Every structure is written in C-alpha cells, then in structure tokens.
Amino acid sequence: TQSTWGGFQKQMEVFLSALLIIGAFFLFWKRSSKESSKIEQQPVAAITPQQVHELIKNRRSIFPKDYTGEAVPKEVIDAILESANWAPSHGKTEAWRFIVLGRDGINQIQNIKRRHLTQELKDEPEKLEGVLSKIDSKAKELANCSHIIVIGMKKTPNSKGHYMPEWEEIASVAC
C-alpha cells in the first residue's frame, strides 16, 4: 500500500487529472446554439478514451490506517475543495458544503461522539463497552489523519427559484 504523503499526493494527482478530463469532456460537449452564442468555444487537448480509462483504472483507495500522520498542506486541501466546487450539479444548485476539520476538530468530534453514546447507552453496559472499544479503535486510525473534510448539503433554489427534489440534491452531494 502507499502509505506516504507522496503516495497520497500521486493518487490525488491521478484523481484530479481524471476529474479535469471528465469535466473538460462535459464542459466542451457540443452545446446548443443558444448556449454557443453566450460562451466562446475553447479547443480541448486531444485525449483518448484509453487514457481516461487508464487514469480511472489506476486509481486506488488509501485508508486512514495507511496514513503516516504527515500533515496535508493547506494549499492541497484548498485545491481539492476548489476542484470539488466545479463539479456539475443538476439544476446548478451546488448544494454541497464543506467543513475542514484539523486534528483538534477531529478530536472534538470523537469526544462528542463518546459522550453522546455513553449517555445513550448508560443502561446497556455491555453494548456500551463494545461501542467504546470500536470508537477507541477508530480514534487510533484517525490519529494519522491531518484533516477530515465533512460534506453536507444545503438545499438552495435553482436559477428559476425552484427547489430540486431532495434525493437529487443528496445524490449530487454524494458524488
């Protein structure tokens, strides 16, 4: 497994390259004459379907247990969020919202979860013990995370003032 910041960085470069290629494909897809009159057409660098396939095929998941604990630079996080903001959304509502948690925020969330579950399961000590054990195990993994990006949804009206169905907004945010 790739457990260094360099490995993560390489995977992000591949992912962002694929995202940019796919985005360019949609951005420069043949537009209606109405849209073409508003937007100047830009030439797109030639890329083959095989190149897109290779980028996607070579993408790999890297899990918290594989992280080294090395901090991801703020510039990288900003670039990831900027790229995410350019993702298409049905109805152009861009319903996603991002919250970046650093190590202190991650610890605070873990403590809140621990206190809440301790209160909720106070009458079930055996279940509480198992849950707390799982939280402790997850906390050890998360100790290697420099940041967690929390993704939420805010329903907003589209350009015509209408709200999209909630399931469509959830699907948009999930992508």
Side-chain angles (χ1 to χ4, degrees):
T1 61
Q2 295 179 346
S3 60
T4 65
W5 161 241
F8 174 77
Q9 188 174 17
K10 180 64 179 163
Q11 293 304 317
M12 285 308 302
E13 287 171 5
V14 170
F15 170 74
L16 291 174
S17 296
L19 183 65
L20 290 172
I21 291 163
I22 293 167
F25 173 77
F26 286 110
L27 181 62
F28 297 108
W29 189 255
K30 185 177 178 185
R31 300 169 191 219
S32 67
S33 59
K34 181 179 174 184
E35 268 191 83
S36 295
S37 65
K38 291 191 270 182
I39 301 171
E40 183 179 326
Q41 295 289 325
Q42 303 271 335
V44 177
I47 185 161
T48 67
Q50 293 81 9
Q51 288 170 313
V52 172
H53 175 74
E54 285 301 312
L55 283 170
I56 294 169
K57 186 175 86 173
N58 289 320
R59 177 216 68 72
R60 295 292 175 263
S61 296
I62 302 172
F63 299 97
K65 67 179 180 56
D66 300 319
Y67 297 168
T68 64
E70 186 178 347
V72 177
K74 181 182 182 322
E75 298 79 29
V76 172
I77 293 184
D78 290 344
I80 291 168
L81 295 176
E82 175 66 21
S83 297
N85 277 326
W86 281 97
S89 64
H90 185 63
K92 300 178 184 173
T93 60
E94 299 176 358
W96 45 81
R97 298 295 182 268
F98 303 103
I99 299 170
V100 179
L101 300 175
R103 286 193 172 108
D104 289 342
I106 295 168
N107 291 336
Q108 286 178 8
I109 293 295
Q110 290 286 43
N111 291 334
I112 290 168
K113 188 162 79 170
R114 179 179 266 288
R115 282 194 310 266
H116 172 75
L117 289 169
T118 299
Q119 179 64 31
E120 287 294 310
L121 298 174
K122 65 183 175 193
D123 296 332
E124 301 176 64
E126 288 179 13
K127 189 172 183 181
L128 176 60
E129 183 180 340
V131 168
L132 292 178
S133 174
K134 194 171 189 176
I135 287 174
D136 291 341
S137 175
K138 186 57 77 175
K140 288 177 186 170
E141 284 185 17
L142 293 177
N144 289 332
C145 296
S146 67
H147 298 83
I148 290 180
I149 300 174
V150 179
I151 305 170
M153 181 191 82
K154 179 180 180 185
K155 285 188 62 94
T156 55
N158 63 18
S159 58
K160 296 178 183 176
H162 300 112
Y163 287 90
M164 302 303 294
E166 185 175 31
W167 73 268
E168 290 181 16
E169 296 284 52
I170 291 170
S172 177
V173 169
C175 290

